[in-house]
């Protein structure tokens, strides 16, 4: 079974803090993704990576950055958290040219 | 522009009924479609997929129908069970990309 693990289920941070969300997959997938999920808006792509040290902007990259130093790990960084970044964050991975994504359980981030 | 709503479309059914969840997709160039199920507190999970050269595909208790003429996708769940209660997302992939675009989801509620 593919396993995508997000390091935290719930996080509470203060405005202006630097926040790291970590994601690890165990299936040697080339592609990894970060989404945020908000009520009524579905899944919106923040960043993705198709290889180690490679990253591409998604639809809503502003206020975020990412890091992929190892194939299995993809980190989402909020340089200075703001209240409008309160959301559910989902990490996913997929194989090479594969379309099917495997998701982690999500991290619910609250920025106060 | 896109309308933003806070509430998902909801389908309520009785246990044992058949459920039909609909999805209108936007890009006539999309050639691959996926359905995901997201249970409360979990990440989306792949259910079934279909390529644009097909109009029907069956899985275990689920069937996906594709009507390219009207850009419509549906997911049929036979003999719906309480465990089927979840949010269901359709996703489309356009030629040349391996990144799906997700719909906003439909909430399925199954009453025992």
């Amino acid at each position: 079974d593919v396993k995508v693990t997000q390091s935290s289920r719930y996080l509470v941070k203060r405005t202006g803090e630097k926040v790291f969300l970590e994601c690890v997959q165990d299936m040697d997938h080339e592609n990894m993704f970060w989404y945020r999920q908000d009520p009524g808006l579905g899944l919106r792509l923040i960043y993705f990576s198709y290889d180690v040290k490679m990253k591409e902007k998604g639809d809503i990259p502003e206020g975020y950055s990412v890091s992929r130093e190892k194939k299995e790990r993809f980190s989402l960084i909020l340089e200075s958290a703001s209240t409008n970044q309160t959301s559910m964050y989902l990490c996913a991975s997929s194989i090479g040219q594969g379309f099917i994504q495997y998701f982690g359980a999500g991290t619910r981030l609250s920025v106060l | 522009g896109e309308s933003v709503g806070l509430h998902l479309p909801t389908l309520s059914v009785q246990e044992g009924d058949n459920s039909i969840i609909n999805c209108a997709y936007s890009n006539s160039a999309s050639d691959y479609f996926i359905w995901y199920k997201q249970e409360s507190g979990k990440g989306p999970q792949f259910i079934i997929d279909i390529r644009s050269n097909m109009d029907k595909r069956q899985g275990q208790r689920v069937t996906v129908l594709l009507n390219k003429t009207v850009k419509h996708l549906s997911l049929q769940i036979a003999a719906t069970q309480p465990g089927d209660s979840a949010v269901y997302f359709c996703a489309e992939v356009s030629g040349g990309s391996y990144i799906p675009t997700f719909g906003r989801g439909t909430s399925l509620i199954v009453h025992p």
Side-chain angles (χ1 to χ4, degrees), chain B residues 21-102:
Chain B
I21 300 170
N22 296 305
C23 177
Y25 64 92
S26 56
N27 189 343
S28 56
S30 292
D31 51 11
Y32 183 78
F33 304 89
I34 312 166
W35 279 101
Y36 286 90
K37 172 186 180 183
Q38 186 176 21
E39 296 175 84
S40 181
K42 297 182 180 180
Q45 181 180 17
F46 168 80
I47 304 173
I48 192 168
D49 56 355
I50 188 168
R51 292 196 175 275
S52 59
N53 61 355
M54 304 170 70
D55 53 20
K56 180 179 180 179
R57 189 165 188 216
Q58 287 185 291
Q60 192 172 21
R61 274 200 314 119
V62 295
T63 300
V64 56
L65 299 178
L66 175 62
N67 185 331
K68 294 181 287 293
T69 303
V70 294
K71 293 190 289 187
H72 184 267
L73 196 65
S74 68
L75 178 71
Q76 300 179 357
I77 305 173
T80 314
Q81 302 167 1
D84 295 326
S85 293
V87 175
Y88 290 81
F89 293 94
C90 65
E92 58 183 298
V93 181
S94 302
S97 171
Y98 59 90
I99 301 172
T101 299
F102 288 86

Side-chain angles (χ1 to χ4, degrees), chain A residues 9 37 40 48 50 99 101 104, chain B residues 5 32 36 38 41 43 98 104:
Chain A
R9 291 302 303 274
Q37 184 176 31
F48 64 99
Y50 55 88
F99 305 125
Q101 296 182 341
Chain B
Y32 183 78
Y36 286 90
Q38 186 176 21
Y98 59 90
R104 293 184 182 172

Side-chain angles (χ1 to χ4, degrees), chain A residues 59-73:
Chain A
D59 300 319
I60 52 164
E62 295 80 17
Y64 303 94
S65 62
V66 290
S67 173
R68 192 159 181 210
E69 295 297 318
K70 293 185 178 182
K71 190 175 186 180
E72 68 270 19
R73 186 180 296 270

